[in-house]
Amino acid sequence: MGGKGLSQFGRRPHISRMHTLNPVFRPYPLAVLFVSLGAAACAPEETPEVEAEAAPRTPAEELLERSIQFHDPAGLWTSGTVSLAWNGTGSEGEERVALDLMFYPDESAFAMSGRYRGREIAYAASGNELSIAVDGSDRIPEETAEELRLRREDGFFWRSYFGFLTGLPMKLRDPGTRIDSEPLETEFMGRPVSAIRVTYDAEVGGDTWYFYFAPETAELVGCRFYHDESLNDGEYIVFEGLVESGGMRLPARRSWYVNADDRFLGSDELSGLTVSR
């Protein structure tokens, strides 16, 4: 994770607030109503309900679906347990992060363990419950908690951060995501790409994002975010290579840069991906 990029993501509530609500409401099938034969005989004949037709997808939504089919055709991000190693270096190649991550089905729980900024950290989030230890102790000084982002977003920053970055492009289906209807044909890192512009509901986040896809395959090859697009602030991330398991393909390398001057911030490598149902 690029040095400055980490702090910038911490300012983005849209990668966290959706996941601190528990329990998550999910509709269940209607219960079957059992009635006596006599009551059924007297009941008036019911007119079958006609299901409302789903709104047709916009061209940009079609592009996103193509990309999800490329990266996660079996829907494993929401239905499987995903584990991987995440290693990050700064702009000078110094190690900043060496973590093992695990996401449980539909992100119902998340765990990470390893090194971050020279500290040993063990972190687990399930629903609204947290378990955190630093250097083997759960008695964490406030300055250490601030340094390691352990108080951000009521403590759920790391679940949000890694959930968003690891789960792209699938995370663009999350509630509160607004996708412009038409894709853009443009260039990214000197190559032709198809792009979609994404904003978020006000209660979710305020940043503007662009996601870039290879036209032939819809593979996600990069993204860019702005806090204020008119100021050309924010950063962009270049995705390279793939790490694969069980049919899921995630970007293997992320390189971070500043929008304003293309300054390199650092890179992240994903390895050891394992997906199981």
Side-chain angles (χ1 to χ4, degrees):
M1 65 190 62
K4 194 171 181 180
L6 180 62
S7 62
Q8 299 282 13
F9 267 91
R11 298 171 59 189
R12 295 183 56 253
H14 89 258
I15 65 170
S16 64
R17 291 177 62 184
M18 287 297 177
H19 303 290
T20 58
L21 305 177
N22 187 62
V24 176
F25 174 76
R26 298 192 184 281
Y28 288 86
L30 293 175
V32 178
L33 299 179
F34 293 95
V35 295
S36 66
L37 289 175
C42 299
E45 183 176 349
E46 295 184 0
T47 303
E49 292 185 4
V50 178
E51 292 186 5
E53 292 186 6
R57 289 180 181 145
T58 66
E61 289 170 338
E62 292 283 0
L63 174 58
L64 174 59
E65 288 306 310
R66 282 184 58 215
S67 186
I68 291 174
Q69 282 300 306
F70 176 87
H71 287 282
D72 186 22
L76 294 174
W77 180 255
T78 55
S79 64
T81 298
V82 179
S83 61
L84 55 88
W86 182 295
N87 295 278
T89 58
S91 59
E92 301 299 322
E94 72 279 12
E95 180 187 271
R96 295 176 60 84
V97 179
L99 294 168
D100 293 320
L101 309 179
M102 180 168 287
F103 301 89
Y104 291 86
D106 208 16
E107 299 178 66
S108 57
F110 166 73
M112 73 178 194
S113 62
R115 295 188 307 280
Y116 173 56
R117 291 191 172 182
R119 304 272 194 161
E120 291 292 327
I121 185 170
Y123 174 103
S126 179
N128 286 326
E129 300 298 320
L130 279 172
S131 173
I132 306 174
V134 176
D135 294 332
S137 174
D138 60 3
R139 304 184 70 173
I140 305 169
E142 192 60 33
E143 60 271 21
T144 301
E146 287 297 321
E147 177 191 1
L148 303 183
R149 280 93 169 168
L150 300 179
R151 298 288 186 262
R152 288 192 180 185
E153 302 175 16
D154 297 325
F156 291 95
F157 169 76
W158 288 117
R159 177 173 66 178
S160 304
Y161 178 90
F162 284 115
F164 180 80
L165 284 180
T166 308
L168 290 172
M170 291 72 74
K171 294 293 289 180
L172 298 182
R173 284 175 167 168
D174 278 5
T177 306
R178 297 180 177 180
I179 300 174
D180 284 9
S181 60
E182 294 295 328
L184 307 170
E185 301 305 319
T186 184
E187 288 191 352
F188 180 68
M189 303 304 291
R191 63 183 291 184
V193 294
S194 300
I196 60 174
R197 181 179 181 270
V198 174
T199 55
Y200 291 86
D201 288 350
E203 67 273 16
V204 178
D207 292 349
T208 299
W209 285 77
Y210 291 84
F211 294 89
Y212 304 107
F213 306 91
E216 304 82 9
T217 63
E219 176 184 352
L220 181 65
V221 297
C223 61
R224 186 187 305 273
F225 66 90
Y226 301 95
H227 307 305
D228 185 338
E229 191 169 354
S230 67
L231 299 177
N232 194 33
D233 61 6
E235 298 160 18
Y236 63 95
I237 312 170
V238 180
F239 297 152
E240 297 175 285
L242 295 167
V243 58
E244 304 184 30
S245 175
M248 178 186 281
R249 302 165 169 172
L250 298 180
R253 179 181 174 87
R254 294 158 169 76
S255 299
W256 299 68
Y257 300 86
V258 176
N259 283 330
D261 58 8
D262 296 318
R263 179 164 41 92
F264 176 60
L265 296 172
S267 63
D268 305 310
E269 294 273 0
L270 274 62
S271 61
L273 176 65
T274 304
V275 183
S276 60
R277 288 189 184 273

